[in-house]
Amino acid sequence: MPEEFGDWDPEIFEKHGREVISQIRGHFEKIRDVPVAVPRDPAELKSAVAADPPETGELFERVLADTWEKVVPGLVQWNHPSFHAYFPTSASLPGVLAETLTAALNVNSMLWQTSPAATALELVVLRWLAAMAGYPQDADGLLVTGASLANLYALAAARDHALDFDVRERGTGGPGAPTLRIYTSDQAHSSVDKAAITLGTGLANVVRVPSDEQYRMRPDLLDEAIRRDLAAGFRPLAVVATVGTTAVGAADPLERVAEVCAGHGVWLHVDAAYGGLYRLAPSLASTLEDLSVGDSVVVNPQKTLFVPLDSTALFCRRPGALARTFRLVPEYLTSAHDGDTTDLMDLSPQLGRGFRALKVWWVIRTFGRAGLAARLDASVALARRLRERVDRHPDWTCPAPSAYPLVCLRYTPEAVTADPRLSEGRKREITDALNARILRRVNASGTAFLSHAVLRDGYVLRLSIGNIRTVGEDVERVWRELDRIAAAELAEPTGTTAWTDPA
Ligand SMILES: Cc1ncc(COP(=O)(O)O)c(C=O)c1O
């Protein structure tokens, strides 16, 4: 066949495929030896890979070599055992292989008839995930691209439920249309705000209910806010509770929030993107509240179950609610329904959908429920040990508790906190700058990658544990490095941490 036509010969594919797999193996075998991240000049990075598209095909060996030489070193290694930023979305190796097969099959699970087994498998893994999260297994559900979109879709269904006219036909405005309000805590993820922007509800109508001293939504203040709004003529669209907040890993008191929602007939959406699947961990199972109080719930296997990006499950136990909002079938997508079939395109705005279920299925089957539980438990134990170390250190604190393996750390050296020349405000300012500087330095060192949050106590380093490869020694090394950098920064303050300068 002339070179200009057709695909690779399968033999060539296998040859290169073996090479790629072998390089992936090498990558994982050496992953502890490479920096988690290396700060690079953006212009240099862009120019390293910027070239005109080649007119004629290049040797794959060259493409592969460029990938490892020019691209991979400029990535942040999310699979590195010392990646502790945000929430670790580490990919397990069965998940990596599943992605390859998924690409090879390249099926689109928009309709039952476009890929029956893909839809059937998605329904199976959804049932499994629902059971793991403690949500009704017969709830409607689907796999979506991330928790932000899951929150948006759930709130779209909640909006249509809240309005007593045909929103699909008429839109949300018009004479007599009430102003809708979404209630969530001051700790909720920004995707709730983005959903309000997208749905046309408006940021002004996202009511941020204050959280308590442990960063959990205050149900009494939620109740007050809803009552006040009802009296003023607003219409509650939904309450969004969070199980595993982004900044500190707090869990809103679901049962009491659900009581408030039930009292006002308001939809409760539970964003359990981070915390939901930790129900599997035996050490946490009894402390986590029942997710089934949520009318809709999101859990994120990509965050906690070692399934590669992207894979998020949205569930809704109000039968047909997602379909009432999203089902729209143009002629070309009509199909015969023989037997009990489901067209997953009916449950979200997305039409073409990849075969995400395969990787979830492979990962769960490969490790088993108990294997996953043990891995989650191991992360919880590592975080507990780290917290104990931090609590014993006179110059570090953990300003926020969390049941989950997310440790918020703040360097609060006595040299600053006990300096009589400094006002309280100045102490905080200096400590904030010191912690920000520690974060920059540790991330720049390549030994670990952390993120930050700003809490009531001030700026904290967030060290989130949950990577499938992280072991005790890794956490110990990061902790020692943080303490070393902090002491160095205190001894030789740089930039804004020139703390000896009294106010
Ligand atoms: C509580 C919570 N909800 C939603 C999201 C959004 O997740 P995604 O990146 O899957 O859209 C995050 C992200 O960290 C989160 O922490």
Side-chain angles (χ1 to χ4, degrees):
M1 193 185 293
E3 210 182 275
E4 290 79 13
F5 297 100
D7 200 356
W8 274 351
D9 188 290
E11 208 180 301
I12 306 276
F13 171 77
E14 183 172 347
K15 172 173 164 282
H16 293 319
R18 285 180 186 278
E19 183 55 25
V20 171
I21 295 282
S22 150
Q23 291 183 351
I24 292 175
R25 174 186 167 168
H27 174 70
F28 278 106
E29 280 175 345
K30 291 194 300 280
I31 199 151
R32 274 192 180 72
D33 306 333
V34 300
V36 191
V38 180
R40 293 196 188 242
D41 173 30
E44 186 195 311
L45 257 189
K46 286 181 201 160
S47 66
V49 289
D52 292 330
E55 196 55 32
T56 55
E58 296 184 62
L59 277 180
F60 184 71
E61 285 83 351
R62 190 66 247 144
V63 178
L64 193 54
D66 277 353
T67 306
W68 289 107
E69 286 161 24
K70 297 180 180 170
V71 180
V72 177
L75 300 174
V76 171
Q77 307 300 331
W78 281 68
N79 282 326
H80 196 294
S82 299
F83 180 96
H84 296 294
Y86 314 109
F87 290 125
T89 61
S90 66
S92 59
L93 291 175
V96 172
L97 284 183
E99 283 284 36
T100 309
L101 183 56
T102 302
L105 299 171
N106 195 34
V107 298
N108 184 333
S109 58
M110 57 190 187
L111 298 170
W112 177 271
Q113 79 164 20
T114 60
S115 225
T119 301
L121 204 59
E122 187 158 334
L123 297 175
V124 167
V125 298
L126 284 162
R127 255 199 2 257
W128 291 1
L129 291 169
M132 289 176 184
Y135 202 68
Q137 292 183 51
D138 58 355
D140 292 341
L142 79 166
L143 294 175
V144 301
T145 318
S148 301
L149 290 182
N151 286 343
L152 171 66
Y153 303 160
L155 289 173
R159 176 200 60 192
D160 296 359
H161 177 78
L163 290 173
D164 34 26
F165 54 81
D166 187 351
V167 186
R168 287 168 52 119
E169 192 55 35
R170 169 179 151 182
T172 52
T179 301
L180 296 166
R181 295 277 225 192
I182 297 170
Y183 304 84
T184 197
S185 94
D186 55 15
Q187 298 298 307
H189 189 257
S190 51
S191 54
V192 177
D193 300 301
K194 283 200 177 183
I197 294 170
T198 314
L199 294 172
T201 314
L203 290 174
N205 292 307
V206 178
V207 180
R208 290 284 190 162
V209 178
S211 53
D212 65 15
E213 72 291 346
Q214 294 189 18
Y215 298 94
R216 300 168 302 194
M217 177 154 46
R218 294 255 315 259
D220 55 330
L221 298 183
L222 170 69
D223 190 43
E224 260 177 40
I226 295 178
R227 281 177 198 282
R228 212 174 30 242
D229 280 357
L230 285 171
F234 293 109
R235 176 85 53 93
L237 183 160
V239 171
V240 181
T242 313
V243 173
T245 58
T246 315
V248 303
D252 290 337
L254 280 188
E255 200 180 318
R256 290 173 58 212
V257 168
E259 275 166 22
V260 174
C261 291
H264 296 292
V266 179
W267 181 296
L268 172 59
H269 173 61
V270 182
D271 178 352
Y274 174 52
L277 290 166
Y278 269 99
R279 175 169 289 275
L280 269 179
S283 60
L284 294 190
S286 63
T287 63
L288 303 183
E289 286 193 81
D290 180 11
L291 290 190
S292 70
V293 296
D295 294 284
S296 49
V297 162
V298 51
V299 296
N300 221 343
Q302 77 191 26
K303 279 188 172 53
T304 45
L305 278 201
F306 323 116
V307 179
L309 281 164
D310 49 42
S311 139
T312 298
L314 169 63
F315 297 106
C316 180
R317 68 174 168 75
R318 286 188 178 263
L322 288 167
R324 276 194 292 282
T325 293
F326 293 115
R327 183 174 146 80
L328 184 76
V329 188
E331 179 55 36
Y332 87 104
L333 292 174
T334 54
S335 57
H337 281 253
D338 302 325
D340 181 15
T341 61
T342 305
D343 291 336
L344 288 167
M345 73 156 193
D346 290 348
L347 304 188
S348 88
Q350 188 175 10
L351 175 58
R353 331 173 52 253
F355 188 8
R356 291 198 190 90
L358 189 73
K359 58 189 171 186
V360 183
W361 196 55
W362 278 28
V363 170
I364 296 177
R365 287 194 62 186
T366 310
F367 295 121
R369 195 183 178 286
L372 291 170
R375 285 167 175 82
L376 296 181
D377 237 2
S379 298
V380 173
L382 289 180
R384 279 199 188 133
R385 230 179 297 151
L386 176 62
R387 263 190 221 106
E388 284 162 16
R389 297 288 304 268
V390 175
D391 286 341
R392 284 201 302 271
H393 196 298
D395 289 342
W396 287 88
T397 56
C398 284
S402 175
Y404 303 105
L406 166 61
V407 184
C408 288
L409 304 159
R410 182 163 161 89
Y411 186 55
T412 51
E414 267 192 14
V416 176
T417 55
D419 187 332
R421 297 169 301 164
L422 301 172
S423 68
E424 287 310 308
R426 182 77 181 124
K427 283 178 192 169
R428 180 180 165 135
E429 224 174 77
I430 292 166
T431 311
D432 281 354
L434 195 50
N435 280 274
R437 184 78 198 153
I438 295 167
L439 181 73
R440 275 183 80 102
R441 274 177 74 162
V442 74
N443 285 356
S445 75
T447 49
F449 198 78
L450 278 68
S451 55
H452 78 281
V454 177
L455 309 182
R456 291 177 196 128
D457 296 65
Y459 190 103
V460 295
L461 312 180
R462 279 175 81 267
L463 198 156
S464 176
I465 299 174
N467 187 304
I468 192 165
R469 288 165 202 92
T470 305
V471 295
E473 267 171 46
D474 296 310
V475 179
E476 182 63 32
R477 196 173 46 249
V478 174
W479 164 237
R480 279 200 307 267
E481 184 64 3
L482 282 174
D483 195 38
R484 187 191 67 74
I485 289 176
E489 189 57 39
L490 188 66
E492 293 172 34
T494 53
T496 50
T497 62
W499 60 274
T500 46
D501 177 16

